[in-house]
């Protein structure tokens, strides 16, 4: 494991997260039942509905009975692309929304309460990358890390890291550190001395059809086997398994086109 990546230990994660820490990841799909079949078959997730939802049908995915991610269903007729959204922890969603606007971002949804679970904002940074701010109450974030089927890392992929890092630094107070001397446009976002996320400037390699976006990495026991399973379940492998800084990775998409990364963390 390089110092670019955090080193989550297997186990539960309870309590309020420090502001700016990626704490939750959520997917809005067009067919909630089918997408549950895909992720259940890939990660072994079980699902339950935490209660009535003013934003539509929503389930939480669990590993070993602990919440690790969320899946919701878009309203019929809504023509939005299916995508995973990274939520960054915040102490005050209302204040965060004001700061997002002041710093050149846009607020698309909220601030609003998700019943007793918490309070949220859905926004875009100045380069257009969607993200969320989550003020946790009953749900402070993913309750398990470091085991297969759990979120392992979050990375913003944008055209130029330098063009947007000031926004996130002002919003959350990150310390920023270059990842390495050879990759000048890859920055880690740190809270104290702990890396919690990264920003990667992709330049001309940024996919036009996607634009700037936050990428969620999910831990798996075997990247190659998981990539094959993605195809068996109706998804696609966009970049085959290969060795990366933190382990063996593969970029894949679910049957609705939501892109994410499989990671077998180097031990």
């Amino acid at each position: 494991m390089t110092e670019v990546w955090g080193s989550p230990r297997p186990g539960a994660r309870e309590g309020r997260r420090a502001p700016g820490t990626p704490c939750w990841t959520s997917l809005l799909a067009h067919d909630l039942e089918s997408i549950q079949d895909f992720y259940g078959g890939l990660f072994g997730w079980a699902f339950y509905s935490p209660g009535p939802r003013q934003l539509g049908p929503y389930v939480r995915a669990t590993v070993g009975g602990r919440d690790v991610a969320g899946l919701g269903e878009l309203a019929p007729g809504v023509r939005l692309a299916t995508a995973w959204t990274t939520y960054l922890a915040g102490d005050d969603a209302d204040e965060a929304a004001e700061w997002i606007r002041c710093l050149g971002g846009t607020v698309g949804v909220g601030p609003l309460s998700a019943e007793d679970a918490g309070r949220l904002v859905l926004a875009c940074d100045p380069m257009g990358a969607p993200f969320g701010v989550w003020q946790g109450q009953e749900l402070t974030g993913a309750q398990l890390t470091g085991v297969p089927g759990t979120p392992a890392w979050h990375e913003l992929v944008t055209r130029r890291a330098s063009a947007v890092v000031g926004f996130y630094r002002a919003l959350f107070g990150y310390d920023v550190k270059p990842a390495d001397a050879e990759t000048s446009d890859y920055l880690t976002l740190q809270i104290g001395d702990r890396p919690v996320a990264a920003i990667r400037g992709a330049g001309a390699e940024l996919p036009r059809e996607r634009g700037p976006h936050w990428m969620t990495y999910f831990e798996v026991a075997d990247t190659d086997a998981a990539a094959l399973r993605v195809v068996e379940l109706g998804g696609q492998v966009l970049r085959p398994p290969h060795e990366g800084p933190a382990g063996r990775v593969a970029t894949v998409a679910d049957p609705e086109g939501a892109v994410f990364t499989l990671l077998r963390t180097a031990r």
Side-chain angles (χ1 to χ4, degrees):
M1 179 75 72
T2 71
E3 66 175 354
V4 173
W5 296 66
S7 303
R9 290 176 295 178
R13 293 181 61 180
E14 307 289 351
R16 182 68 63 88
R17 309 303 202 279
T21 305
C23 62
W24 189 247
T25 188
S26 189
L27 177 74
L28 286 178
H30 294 279
D31 187 335
L32 182 56
E33 184 174 348
S34 293
I35 215 69
Q36 287 181 77
D37 290 340
F38 173 83
Y39 286 102
L42 179 61
F43 293 135
W45 285 349
F47 303 93
Y48 75 99
S49 177
R53 292 283 158 180
Q54 70 269 43
L55 297 179
Y58 191 84
V59 298
R60 294 186 197 170
T62 66
V63 172
R66 295 188 176 274
D67 298 337
V68 297
L71 303 175
E73 187 168 76
L74 292 162
V78 173
R79 297 180 177 272
L80 290 177
T82 304
W84 283 97
T85 298
T86 293
Y87 284 81
L88 306 172
D91 286 337
D92 188 324
D94 296 79
E95 183 178 350
E98 290 302 315
W99 274 109
I100 288 168
R101 294 187 184 99
C102 290
L103 293 167
T106 58
V107 173
V109 177
L112 58 82
S113 294
E115 298 161 2
D116 295 333
R119 194 161 173 78
L120 66 87
V121 173
L122 287 173
C124 289
D125 69 27
M127 297 296 104
F131 70 101
V133 177
W134 180 252
Q135 179 187 339
Q137 296 169 7
E138 180 267 330
L139 175 70
T140 58
Q143 297 174 335
L144 190 66
T145 62
V147 299
T150 63
W153 184 249
H154 298 264
E155 180 176 287
L156 172 62
V157 184
T158 190
R159 193 163 301 281
R160 287 188 302 113
S162 58
V164 74
V165 66
F167 169 84
Y168 288 98
R169 190 173 189 175
L171 185 59
F172 293 112
Y174 294 120
D175 291 325
V176 178
K177 180 180 179 181
D180 57 62
E182 296 180 1
T183 311
S184 60
D185 209 27
Y186 186 50
L187 306 172
T188 58
L189 304 177
Q190 299 193 168
I191 296 176
D193 59 356
R194 183 171 64 95
V196 297
I199 302 178
R200 178 165 64 88
E205 296 180 2
L206 183 69
R208 289 187 177 182
E209 67 277 11
R210 297 194 63 206
H213 59 276
W214 278 86
M215 175 72 78
T216 300
Y217 289 67
F218 288 100
E219 188 72 37
V220 293
D222 184 322
T223 304
D224 296 71
L228 290 174
R229 185 62 175 149
V230 166
V231 176
E232 292 172 354
L233 292 166
Q236 293 180 280
V237 175
L238 304 180
R239 188 177 182 192
H242 60 281
E243 295 302 324
R248 192 159 178 82
V249 295
T251 304
V252 300
D254 70 25
E256 291 198 13
V259 178
F260 57 100
T261 297
L262 306 169
L263 167 67
R264 172 63 169 97
T265 302
R267 298 294 191 257

